[in-house]
Amino acid sequence: MPGKRITQRQESLYMSTRKSGKSQETAAAKAAISERSGRRIEKGERLSISGERHWRTREDPLEAIWEKEIGALARERSATNGLNTLGISGR
């Protein structure tokens, strides 16, 4: 399919406009999509936009030392913010 992908916001705007009683043509124009795309949204033919991954794409390089060193340091200095805990100046 050529062109830009339809965003969740466009889909939501299209559907809310349709629910308010407007025509497909009007709702599509308001959402800046084609009428055909609007029909696909209504039929549920549109591919969903994938969200964040729920799996790791690579190994975490800090996993081995995180809990032992950085986690302990963070608990030890829990009264300070994260930047101060790691010794980084906020300015």
Side-chain angles (χ1 to χ4, degrees):
M1 289 197 294
K4 294 182 179 181
R5 293 189 179 249
I6 298 170
T7 64
Q8 286 290 127
R9 180 154 170 76
Q10 286 175 305
E11 185 175 341
S12 177
L13 179 59
Y14 175 83
M15 290 306 291
S16 65
T17 306
R18 285 290 286 153
K19 285 180 183 174
S20 70
K22 303 292 183 192
S23 68
Q24 284 181 339
E25 182 180 13
T26 303
K30 193 166 192 170
I33 60 174
S34 69
E35 288 180 61
R36 179 68 183 120
S37 293
R39 286 193 290 274
R40 284 190 187 110
I41 290 170
E42 287 186 30
K43 284 184 172 182
E45 292 178 3
R46 190 172 166 272
L47 296 174
S48 63
I49 296 173
S50 60
E52 291 184 24
R53 293 184 184 107
H54 59 277
W55 66 90
R56 292 195 181 270
T57 57
R58 59 188 166 92
E59 293 296 318
D60 185 1
L62 297 177
E63 186 174 24
I65 64 164
W66 184 262
E67 189 56 40
K68 288 188 288 184
E69 296 180 25
I70 300 176
L73 183 62
R75 281 190 299 280
E76 187 178 296
R77 299 181 182 180
S78 63
T80 63
N81 69 25
L83 295 176
N84 290 338
T85 299
L86 297 175
I88 300 171
S89 173
R91 294 176 203 240

